[in-house]
Amino acid sequence: MKAKERYTLVSDMLFNFFYFFVIRKVRKLLIFYLIFLFIPTVIFAENIVIDRLVAYVDDYAITLSELEAEYERMHKNNLLITKKEVLQTIINKILLIKEARKLRLELGSEDELINQYIEIVIKSKLLVKEEEVHEFYKKNIESFKERDYLSVKDQIEILLFEKEFNELLKSHIKELRRKANIKVFLNDIDTSLKR
Amino acid sequence: MNILRNLFKSISSAFIILFFLLNFLTNSSSSEIAVKFPISNIEVIGLYSIKEEELLELLGLKRGDIIDFDSLKIGIKRAFLKGIFENLIIEGNQELSHIVVKVEEKRIIEKIEVLQNDFFSKGFILRNLKIEKGSRLNIKKIEEGISLLLEQIKKRGFTSANITYSIELEGRNKCVLVLNVQEGSPTFIQKIVVQPEPSETIKSLLDVSVGDIYDQLKIERMEENFINYFKKQGYIGVFIKNDFRDGILTINYSIGKRLEINIIGNEMVDTSTLMKIIDIREVNDLSDDLIDEIKTRLLLIYYQNGYAFADIIPIKTVNDDKIILSFYIFEGIKYTVDKIFLTGTSLQEDKIKKILNLKEGGIYNREYLDQDRNNIRELYHSLGYIEAEVYDPDVKLNGELIEIEFFIYEGLQVVVNEISVKNNQVFSNEHLLKEIPLKIGSPYNEIDIIDSRRKILEIYQKAGYINAKVSFETSFNGTKASVVFSVIEGNIFYFGKNIFIGNEKTRPEVIKRELQHEENKPLNYILTFKEKQQIQRLGLFRDVQIKLSDYTFDNKRDVLYYLEEENHGALESGFGYGEYEKYRFFIDLSHRNLWGMNRFGSIRTELSSLERRLSFIYTMPYFLINELTLKSMFLWESKREKSLDTKEILYRLRRNNFSIGIEKTFNRNIKSEVYYDFSVVKTSDVKPDIILSKEDVGTLIISGFRPGIIYDKRDNPFEPTEGFLLGFSSKLVSRVFFGEADFVKINLYGNKYFKLSEGIIFAISLRGGIARGFHKTQELPIVERFFLGGRTTVRGYAQDTLGPKGTDGNPTGGNAFLMGNFELRAYTKKGFGLVGFIDAGEVWQRINQIKIFDLKFTTGIGIRYKTPAGPLRIDYGHKLNRVSGESKGEIHFSIGHAF
């Protein structure tokens, strides 16, 4: 049987079916509706995830909707960022906020709270010594293109401070993560929120 | 026509196919819920530990509501805080308006199995693991526990030990934690080197031998003992340390030098008092700072005793084998304050002198001079003299007397003439100013201003403005002060939902009914303090902590209740001896949180040489309404009443009793009750002379109501020292209530306690009762008549022997009694006490026979020893109105006070 014939046959069949039940037999419209609308709805209807837990940090739950919102926000600035990375950022933020609250720091926004905590706990411990700045200058003298020490001193100090700060923050977060009870479900689930 | 028909056919077919496909596609897994939809059905899967309603309440899901995704996000966070969930997934089906809540619970550790442990007991392992049976599975905690346990095992010499674990799933939400403790071989000490060469005494202190396991804890204890031994001997600078390498234990030690302390020149304060103050038992290094500190402590003792110019010179001498520390004391004269002059004051001098530590005629303690100067200054400041100053006092010596003169500059008194509040919108100025203690016209006082600031803050916080801030500024214009309070109101917050954490056995409704706040009402955090007290009063929790959620939703903060449950079941038993019953024994099995509803149930059996009792008690708080308690009891009892003099049985009794009633507490002090009693009493072998009516023998049904009221203002019901107790109880028994007797009984009592001084209490108790039969009952049945005599009534008389007697001299009991007890109770700090008492009382057969002069008096003394269940007591009562044939007195043993 050719495709055209198959199509004619099917369309004939469907038309006759439709014509007979809908046009001629209006009172049986309901049955038709049930067969073609309701039953498929029931048969093919599948529950979809509205929201769920994607991770927890001690007693703090992170939801899929929260992850999606944060991902959307961060993705605007960094197109390469993945949801897993966003989740790790959220976990780190939670850990720092929890510690900040333990210190009874003044509540502002969460970001302000974190900054306040970092200022007190991390940055206050940092001190770049003069000899470190000098040593850095000597080691990297070629890259300064014969600029004298005093003209680049502040620049080096900022650089070393940032370096040390990053290292200290990283190790601090690592320690917080070691002590916390963290579980991530992200690997097990389809992360797109269907709603 | 055919063309038209074919066209119509094609379009119709295409429409149907398209419709079908679309219908299929919109319902397939890739479909999305784009809009909010009403919830008609909610299915919960995987929930076993709490009721579905509690979970849905936490999630904020309700049948009939429109799903709110933001609220659901908070709901998931809220439910997770409950602490019992490992995972939560919410699925939905828009077409069916159907929500599925899938939860995975954290499993409950039902059992902890320990395998392969030979050397360390299971008890040791579980103690150090710090994971409790019945707790929720937490891998992090298990790993931390194992790490701590391993550390303890390794410290005990099993350095190659290793512990692994596995989780065996049991049932729907339980598991077994299996610990595999591979202890390995211990490390042994193969050689011991002690440096320097030890004496025999030191060898005996070094409790370690070759061949022992290298147990670090044992060696630490040995070192501690070593140091303590030499410290007690008066040595200072003692040290000992060890090093363990390749099986060789090297111990280095030094016993330091003997410390000798001499006190020279003290006459007014004895050496032992000064030695106690020196107390350097914990010190191992005698530094110059420490010597100075000791000197100061010693001087303070002299100053407190009036030796204002005492001086001490410490001298430290170091020899080869000892350190000599000598304190040379120059005591001087003991001074007394003769006069205190207050120069420059316009206030009443007495008013100032009252607040001084130094008193005219009292000991002169020079340490108080500065304190009193400050006290005067603060008094002036509190009265608005903000510039007031008190200069260095002048101290004049006159033999052993001292005259002190304080020089005061008062300045001008500043008065508050203006108070205002700014930036306040929620509360008016009038409202706030009315509530604060600071008033216009009052002297300027910073303490009042600070209190006023606190009051304004409290008003805001009670109204839900929990982040409100209040500051104040003051300005002066001559003697007038103006105070301006500045408010930053912040946002109003409301109470959100309640999250109960840790109530594994107790149902949330039990806790909810103690709560003072309502959802969506302004967040008055002070209410949670009251809630904490209320929940603690339930007696179901060891610890209760309340805090607000970190998250906020629609300006609402959830309230988190962290609860640590007590053990609710108890098995108690006791054995005792009483002068009447002789040996007694009881066993009591009870549970105070039946079905997690704070309902109490107990089965108790009591046995003695005269009595056998079995009782079942069931108590239900919050019966229908708040503060109403339903109590019911079934009692089976078989007892013999015995004459203590003749040892003869007066009668035998078997009683089956059922009572049910309600108790209502009106406030902390007033409690009322109404009980219905139904008893079947069988009396037999009754001595003929005590039979007063036909109801005294045979089986009798007694049925009636028992109302009563108590007003209790005692400070402690078990060990009252102050307050009073007033009570009224009655019993109305009638055939109308399906019984076989008709009578009415009334009891009145009142106890009062006076605290004469610390540890001395005077207590009075007055009690009286009347009863009367009616209808066909002329005499009350023997079990209902009043009897007196014994350990809790009139001491000095044997149990129930006071009052009317039968022809053979046996007590018959009566329809009326009066009784009074007077006790003087004295306690020592170690819990022992001595009591003197006078008791009086009498029983009359009829109400119209009451004569106050018939009262029988006794007096006596008793010994008490305080225990948690009340004082253990032995009393001897001596009869003051003894008639011939009666004993002189009686000894009584018991627990608890007589009243």
Side-chain angles (χ1 to χ4, degrees):
Chain A
M1 197 185 283
K2 286 179 183 174
K4 194 181 172 186
E5 287 169 347
R6 271 205 304 273
Y7 168 70
T8 312
L9 189 69
V10 171
S11 63
D12 272 352
M13 203 173 76
L14 285 170
F15 171 76
N16 289 334
F17 195 73
F18 180 70
Y19 188 78
F20 183 75
F21 282 97
V22 180
I23 309 295
R24 295 279 176 86
K25 311 246 175 176
V26 176
R27 67 190 173 89
K28 293 194 177 172
L29 183 64
L30 190 64
I31 298 165
F32 170 84
Y33 190 79
L34 278 172
I35 293 167
F36 283 93
L37 186 70
F38 182 73
I39 293 173
T41 300
V42 175
I43 293 170
F44 302 115
E46 193 178 291
N47 293 330
I48 56 156
V49 172
I50 301 175
D51 208 345
R52 63 162 297 168
L53 206 68
V54 284
Y56 63 74
V57 182
D58 296 326
D59 61 354
Y60 190 95
I62 303 167
T63 63
L64 184 55
S65 57
E66 206 176 350
L67 172 65
E68 291 284 345
E70 191 64 12
Y71 175 73
E72 212 168 289
R73 196 180 67 82
M74 292 176 82
H75 194 251
K76 281 178 194 163
N77 300 326
N78 180 0
L79 292 173
L80 295 174
I81 200 161
T82 64
K83 281 187 181 169
K84 275 188 183 174
E85 286 164 344
V86 173
L87 184 59
Q88 293 308 322
T89 313
I90 297 174
I91 291 171
N92 293 346
K93 274 172 86 171
I94 291 166
L95 288 166
L96 292 170
I97 290 167
K98 273 167 86 86
E99 289 303 301
R101 286 192 173 131
K102 278 186 201 165
L103 293 181
R104 297 183 181 273
L105 295 182
E106 279 286 313
L107 288 175
S109 71
E110 290 189 341
D111 288 339
E112 281 168 0
L113 197 65
I114 292 171
N115 287 338
Q116 214 178 344
Y117 175 78
I118 287 172
E119 205 67 46
I120 293 168
V121 177
I122 313 282
K123 287 190 177 168
S124 65
K125 286 181 188 167
L126 290 175
L127 179 71
V128 181
K129 290 177 189 162
E130 175 89 41
E131 58 251 44
E132 287 176 58
V133 179
H134 198 250
E135 199 174 329
F136 184 87
Y137 176 77
K138 279 202 293 187
K139 272 189 188 169
N140 301 281
I141 199 152
E142 285 170 10
S143 57
F144 291 110
K145 293 174 185 166
E146 293 175 1
R147 286 173 70 190
D148 66 275
Y149 173 67
L150 285 176
S151 68
V152 293
K153 189 187 155 199
D154 289 348
Q155 208 183 326
I156 297 171
E157 209 172 299
I158 292 167
L159 189 78
L160 289 178
F161 186 87
E162 288 296 324
K163 195 176 159 228
E164 266 187 56
F165 167 71
N166 284 333
E167 277 169 14
L168 199 59
L169 182 63
K170 218 169 152 184
S171 70
H172 186 70
I173 289 173
K174 198 175 166 188
E175 181 60 14
L176 294 178
R177 290 180 81 107
R178 193 185 63 76
K179 287 181 187 166
N181 187 17
I182 300 170
K183 186 160 179 179
V184 175
F185 300 101
L186 196 64
N187 296 333
D188 320 338
I189 55 177
D190 172 12
T191 53
S192 58
L193 191 58
K194 314 259 177 32
R195 67 178 198 209
Chain B
M1 192 63 196
N2 251 355
I3 296 166
L4 269 174
R5 185 183 159 87
N6 277 339
L7 186 67
F8 183 66
K9 275 163 69 178
S10 301
I11 293 168
S12 303
S13 307
F15 171 74
I16 288 167
I17 290 162
L18 193 66
F19 173 78
F20 190 82
L21 274 172
L22 275 174
N23 196 23
F24 174 78
L25 288 171
T26 51
N27 289 298
S28 71
S29 61
S30 62
S31 67
E32 294 192 357
I33 294 176
V35 289
K36 294 181 177 185
F37 62 89
I39 307 164
S40 62
N41 188 28
I42 304 172
E43 187 188 353
V44 179
I45 300 167
L47 184 70
Y48 309 110
S49 297
I50 59 169
K51 281 190 173 179
E52 198 177 299
E53 293 82 62
E54 190 184 349
L55 173 63
L56 297 183
E57 168 78 15
L58 291 170
L59 288 170
L61 289 174
K62 203 172 165 189
R63 287 173 185 91
D65 278 2
I66 305 278
I67 191 159
D68 180 338
F69 300 123
D70 290 334
S71 160
L72 187 63
K73 179 181 85 179
I74 296 294
I76 293 173
K77 287 177 181 293
R78 192 184 288 130
F80 188 74
L81 277 169
K82 176 86 187 155
I84 63 169
F85 299 114
E86 180 67 15
N87 201 355
L88 285 146
I89 302 167
I90 318 296
E91 292 179 349
N93 189 315
Q94 188 181 341
E95 281 74 19
L96 299 179
S97 301
H98 183 68
I99 293 284
V100 182
V101 178
K102 290 181 181 170
V103 298
E104 187 192 332
E105 287 192 5
K106 285 191 166 110
R107 286 181 175 261
I108 298 166
I109 302 174
E110 199 180 35
K111 200 172 159 193
I112 304 175
E113 274 182 15
V114 181
L115 304 177
Q116 295 192 28
N117 57 314
D118 294 326
F119 192 85
F120 295 97
S121 71
K122 188 179 176 183
F124 170 86
I125 289 165
L126 294 185
R127 259 196 320 279
N128 285 287
L129 184 68
K130 290 180 179 148
I131 301 284
E132 280 181 27
K133 203 177 90 177
S135 61
R136 297 270 170 180
L137 185 65
N138 181 332
I139 298 296
K140 184 88 187 169
K141 270 193 179 174
I142 291 173
E143 285 172 356
E144 279 171 6
I146 286 175
S147 157
L148 288 171
L149 172 63
L150 203 56
E151 195 182 309
Q152 289 299 319
I153 290 176
K154 286 185 174 177
K155 265 191 166 184
R156 283 164 175 79
F158 291 76
T159 45
S160 59
N162 189 31
I163 302 172
T164 55
Y165 74 95
S166 61
I167 309 288
E168 287 177 6
L169 306 185
E170 289 262 315
R172 295 181 302 189
N173 68 336
K174 296 198 165 78
C175 67
V176 177
L177 170 63
V178 184
L179 289 181
N180 208 324
V181 182
Q182 292 146 339
E183 294 159 342
S185 304
T187 309
F188 291 101
I189 300 169
Q190 291 161 17
K191 191 181 172 187
I192 300 172
V193 179
V194 184
Q195 289 164 343
E197 189 59 36
S199 65
E200 284 307 311
T201 312
I202 288 168
K203 272 184 191 167
S204 70
L205 289 168
L206 301 177
D207 182 23
V208 61
S209 316
V210 171
D212 284 357
I213 292 172
Y214 177 63
D215 183 337
Q216 288 177 52
L217 292 176
K218 194 181 160 194
I219 289 172
E220 276 169 21
R221 275 198 303 276
M222 179 195 81
E223 290 178 346
E224 210 178 299
N225 289 341
F226 179 91
I227 291 169
N228 286 340
Y229 175 83
F230 283 104
K231 273 192 184 174
K232 272 187 190 168
Q233 301 291 316
Y235 284 84
I236 200 157
V238 187
F239 88 86
I240 180 164
K241 61 178 184 180
N242 77 83
D243 182 50
F244 185 75
R245 241 174 263 175
D246 304 326
I248 302 167
L249 177 68
T250 308
I251 299 172
N252 288 294
Y253 76 93
S254 164
I255 61 168
K257 290 181 176 175
R258 190 187 285 274
L259 176 68
E260 190 181 303
I261 297 173
N262 298 316
I263 297 174
I264 302 141
N266 58 314
E267 283 178 12
M268 304 317 292
V269 184
D270 61 74
T271 307
S272 63
T273 309
L274 296 173
M275 280 295 193
K276 269 185 203 162
I277 288 154
I278 292 171
D279 190 20
I280 50 169
R281 276 172 297 178
E282 296 302 316
V283 176
N284 205 17
D285 177 29
L286 196 64
S287 65
D288 290 345
D289 286 346
L290 179 67
I291 295 169
D292 276 347
E293 193 196 313
I294 295 169
K295 178 187 161 182
T296 310
R297 289 204 301 247
L298 292 174
L299 275 175
L300 273 176
I301 286 292
Y302 276 97
Y303 295 160
Q304 281 165 11
N305 285 291
Y307 296 90
F309 301 103
D311 199 8
I312 295 171
I313 299 169
I315 293 175
K316 180 178 156 187
T317 318
V318 182
N319 295 337
D320 286 347
D321 59 343
K322 68 178 172 185
I323 300 169
I324 302 165
L325 181 60
S326 303
F327 292 97
Y328 291 91
I329 297 176
F330 306 96
E331 291 180 331
I333 302 170
K334 182 175 181 171
Y335 290 95
T336 306
V337 180
D338 183 26
K339 290 263 188 258
I340 299 174
F341 300 104
L342 301 161
T343 305
T345 181
S346 63
L347 303 178
Q348 283 182 0
E349 289 200 359
D350 288 350
K351 197 175 167 186
I352 299 175
K353 284 181 183 174
K354 260 186 196 168
I355 60 157
L356 301 182
N357 291 303
L358 291 165
K359 303 283 177 199
E360 286 174 348
I363 288 169
Y364 171 66
N365 181 351
R366 60 187 275 181
E367 294 291 304
Y368 285 151
L369 275 180
D370 273 350
Q371 280 184 32
D372 283 347
R373 217 180 117 191
N374 277 333
N375 288 349
I376 298 171
R377 191 191 296 120
E378 276 171 23
L379 174 73
Y380 268 96
H381 287 179
S382 71
L383 294 171
Y385 295 90
I386 56 169
E387 288 176 351
E389 192 48 80
V390 183
Y391 300 107
D392 279 342
D394 188 18
V395 179
K396 284 182 190 152
L397 307 179
N398 183 10
E400 291 178 0
L401 298 175
I402 293 245
E403 284 179 1
I404 306 162
E405 188 173 6
F406 289 99
F407 300 98
I408 301 162
Y409 167 71
E410 286 184 338
L412 294 170
Q413 188 182 27
V414 178
V415 173
V416 177
N417 82 322
E418 196 186 342
I419 311 168
S420 60
V421 188
K422 67 177 186 185
N423 306 330
N424 51 316
Q425 290 177 345
V426 180
F427 295 105
S428 67
N429 272 17
E430 291 71 32
H431 176 79
L432 295 173
L433 296 179
K434 204 175 104 190
E435 296 291 326
I436 61 174
L438 190 70
K439 302 289 173 201
I440 288 174
S442 59
Y444 176 86
N445 177 352
E446 283 210 351
I447 294 167
D448 281 350
I449 297 172
I450 292 165
D451 284 348
S452 299
R453 178 194 160 271
R454 197 179 296 134
K455 185 69 199 175
I456 296 172
L457 202 57
E458 189 189 308
I459 291 168
Y460 273 95
Q461 286 180 338
K462 276 187 174 176
Y465 293 86
I466 55 171
N467 294 332
K469 288 187 172 66
V470 180
S471 56
F472 64 85
E473 278 173 23
T474 51
S475 56
F476 300 96
N477 183 7
T479 58
K480 288 174 182 156
S482 168
V483 184
V484 181
F485 293 98
S486 182
V487 182
I488 302 171
E489 291 177 335
N491 290 330
I492 186 168
F493 286 88
Y494 301 92
F495 279 112
K497 293 191 184 298
N498 304 317
I499 308 167
F500 305 115
I501 301 148
N503 57 319
E504 292 279 349
K505 291 170 197 148
T506 310
R507 301 251 290 265
E509 43 268 50
V510 173
I511 309 154
K512 268 186 195 165
R513 59 196 185 197
E514 302 299 327
L515 303 187
Q516 309 276 314
H517 77 266
E518 283 176 50
E519 194 180 341
N520 300 327
K521 288 277 165 69
L523 201 161
N524 174 3
Y525 193 62
I526 292 156
L527 289 178
T528 62
F529 300 135
K530 290 183 191 163
E531 289 177 351
K532 185 176 173 174
Q533 286 176 349
Q534 289 282 105
I535 298 169
Q536 276 171 332
R537 272 179 57 193
L538 290 173
L540 302 176
F541 305 104
R542 202 175 296 142
D543 189 37
V544 179
Q545 297 298 331
I546 304 177
K547 61 172 259 195
L548 296 176
S549 64
D550 293 333
Y551 55 81
T552 307
F553 178 67
D554 282 351
N555 272 15
K556 286 184 213 163
R557 302 276 295 270
D558 291 337
V559 190
L560 282 73
Y561 298 83
Y562 291 93
L563 309 159
E564 201 181 320
E565 282 180 328
E566 282 272 17
N567 284 330
H568 301 134
L571 177 66
E572 295 168 79
S573 68
F575 182 78
Y577 181 84
E579 85 276 6
Y580 181 60
E581 309 92 330
K582 306 296 177 203
Y583 295 102
R584 307 179 63 174
F585 170 76
F586 80 89
I587 185 158
D588 189 317
L589 180 66
S590 65
H591 197 283
R592 56 197 161 103
N593 196 14
L594 291 171
W595 304 290
M597 289 299 292
N598 192 23
R599 292 176 188 170
F600 175 85
S602 83
I603 305 171
R604 184 185 175 92
T605 179
E606 292 170 55
L607 301 170
S608 77
S609 57
L610 296 174
E611 195 175 31
R612 281 177 291 162
R613 283 162 71 101
L614 178 67
S615 59
F616 298 87
I617 295 173
Y618 179 67
T619 304
M620 195 173 153
Y622 283 82
F623 175 66
L624 302 176
I625 58 165
N626 186 10
E627 298 290 333
L628 193 68
T629 305
L630 177 82
K631 283 190 175 179
S632 61
M633 181 174 85
F634 175 76
L635 169 76
W636 176 87
E637 173 178 50
S638 169
K639 70 174 186 179
R640 292 174 296 158
E641 281 290 327
K642 197 169 76 170
S643 162
L644 271 177
D645 297 332
T646 61
K647 311 289 179 206
E648 284 181 317
I649 301 297
L650 299 176
Y651 64 87
R652 289 175 197 277
L653 179 101
R654 286 172 83 91
R655 187 194 334 228
N656 292 309
N657 170 266
F658 174 71
S659 27
I660 185 160
I662 47 170
E663 279 185 11
K664 167 92 181 140
T665 309
F666 291 99
N667 57 40
R668 279 185 67 189
N669 307 113
I670 300 177
K671 194 172 82 175
S672 68
E673 56 185 31
V674 180
Y675 281 93
Y676 168 72
D677 270 348
F678 184 87
S679 304
V680 180
V681 183
K682 188 181 175 189
T683 327
S684 58
D685 297 342
V686 186
K687 280 277 169 197
D689 69 317
I690 63 168
I691 297 174
L692 298 181
S693 71
K694 64 180 176 49
E695 280 89 0
D696 284 351
V697 184
T699 304
L700 182 70
I701 297 172
I702 300 171
S703 169
F705 284 89
R706 195 159 42 86
I709 188 160
I710 294 170
Y711 184 36
D712 191 350
K713 286 285 278 182
R714 291 174 298 177
D715 56 344
N716 178 349
F718 300 104
E719 194 60 64
T721 61
E722 277 181 308
F724 62 86
L725 171 77
L726 290 175
F728 161 84
S729 68
S730 60
K731 190 169 184 179
L732 174 67
V733 168
S734 171
R735 282 163 219 269
V736 175
F737 309 127
F738 312 107
E740 293 173 347
D742 305 276
F743 62 86
V744 59
K745 278 170 82 171
I746 292 170
N747 268 295
L748 282 165
Y749 53 92
N751 301 347
K752 172 89 180 128
Y753 305 88
F754 303 91
K755 191 175 184 177
L756 301 181
S757 68
E758 200 53 49
I760 300 179
I761 294 116
F762 180 60
I764 304 173
S765 171
L766 297 172
R767 285 176 267 184
I770 50 171
R772 194 188 172 100
F774 61 91
H775 196 50
K776 288 180 184 171
T777 307
Q778 295 299 311
E779 299 289 344
L780 264 68
I782 192 165
V783 290
E784 295 287 350
R785 294 203 285 264
F786 297 120
F787 288 86
L788 284 186
R791 59 194 170 223
T792 57
T793 56
V794 182
R795 288 161 286 187
Y797 283 88
Q799 188 72 27
D800 299 343
T801 54
L802 252 178
K805 309 245 175 355
T807 49
D808 296 336
N810 294 314
T812 62
N815 285 1
F817 82 95
L818 278 176
M819 191 178 80
N821 308 88
F822 307 87
E823 261 193 21
L824 189 66
R825 302 169 181 169
Y827 280 98
T828 65
K829 280 183 181 168
K830 290 184 176 174
F832 281 99
L834 199 65
V835 163
F837 61 85
I838 294 173
D839 292 346
E842 181 59 299
V843 179
W844 294 273
Q845 203 162 327
R846 295 267 187 281
I847 298 169
N848 56 17
Q849 292 170 346
I850 297 173
K851 282 180 192 158
I852 204 83
F853 297 109
D854 289 348
L855 287 174
K856 300 285 187 296
F857 286 85
T858 64
T859 185
I861 54 165
I863 299 167
R864 305 281 183 273
Y865 180 69
K866 281 184 184 173
T867 70
L872 269 177
R873 67 179 167 109
I874 304 172
D875 289 329
Y876 172 73
H878 182 78
K879 293 186 181 81
L880 296 174
N881 307 99
R882 188 164 70 98
V883 292
S884 62
E886 281 185 338
S887 63
K888 284 183 181 175
E890 298 290 336
I891 294 173
H892 307 276
F893 305 98
S894 190
I895 288 186
H897 285 292
F899 60 92

